[in-house]
């Protein structure tokens, strides 16, 4: 399994296209304290909808949950956006580890469900 981290930068656009052409999962990570980073998620969501496999699992991940007091992107907004785009919204903190295990458990559980459905 190959993993790419394009850091959301548009200059990595051509690399990203090849990275997700056979991807099973995409993690679109934004900083809950920066509205601009959430706007970048919208760009990448559109890219995935256009170019990624139709059955790709998309997770919209809010990072920096440890900075809740500085939140600029509401949880409800992000959850609504994810739901409207057939994605799952989760939050965590890479710094403290809060929610990280749950994020990866949800990703694994989702992959397992898809695999079981494909076998039916």
């Amino acid at each position: 399994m190959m993993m790419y981290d394009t850091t959301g930068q548009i200059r990595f656009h051509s690399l990203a296209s090849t990275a997700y052409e056979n991807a099973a999962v995409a993690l679109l990570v934004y900083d809950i304290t920066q509205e601009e980073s959430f706007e970048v998620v919208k760009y990448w969501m559109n890219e995935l909808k256009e170019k990624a496999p139709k059955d790709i699992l998309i997770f919209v991940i809010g990072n920096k949950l440890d900075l809740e007091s500085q939140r600029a992107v509401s949880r409800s907004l992000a959850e609504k956006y994810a739901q409207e785009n057939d994605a799952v919204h989760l939050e965590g903190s890479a710094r403290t580890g809060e929610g990280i295990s749950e994020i990866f458990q949800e990703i694994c559980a989702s992959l397992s469900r898809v695999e079981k459905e494909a076998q039916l």
Side-chain angles (χ1 to χ4, degrees):
M1 170 188 277
M2 297 177 71
M3 293 181 66
Y4 292 89
D5 178 1
T6 62
T7 66
Q9 296 176 30
I10 303 305
R11 67 183 175 167
F12 291 110
H13 175 79
S14 61
L15 171 64
S17 295
T18 60
Y20 54 64
E21 67 187 18
N22 294 312
V25 176
L27 306 180
L28 302 178
V29 182
Y30 69 96
D31 178 343
I32 68 167
T33 70
Q34 296 290 324
E35 288 180 38
E36 299 83 17
S37 71
F38 190 68
E39 293 303 314
V40 174
V41 163
K42 294 176 182 179
Y43 168 83
W44 287 111
M45 180 69 77
N46 288 332
E47 279 290 301
L48 290 170
K49 295 287 185 178
E50 289 179 22
K51 298 176 182 168
K54 299 300 176 204
D55 59 349
I56 192 169
L57 299 174
I58 302 172
F59 293 83
V60 177
I61 310 291
N63 188 31
K64 298 192 179 178
L65 194 54
D66 55 298
L67 299 176
E68 178 69 37
S69 65
Q70 298 172 37
R71 182 184 283 274
V73 180
S74 74
R75 185 183 307 248
S76 62
L77 173 72
E79 287 174 350
K80 181 180 178 195
Y81 177 77
Q83 185 177 29
E84 289 171 349
N85 286 280
D86 298 318
V88 176
H89 176 259
L90 301 165
E91 292 185 341
S93 169
R95 182 172 168 251
T96 67
E98 179 183 359
I100 301 301
S101 292
E102 292 83 358
I103 290 169
F104 283 98
Q105 288 171 0
E106 181 60 33
I107 293 166
C108 291
S110 295
L111 281 169
S112 180
R113 280 191 297 275
V114 168
E115 185 177 304
K116 286 179 184 175
E117 290 171 7
Q119 292 174 354
L120 296 178

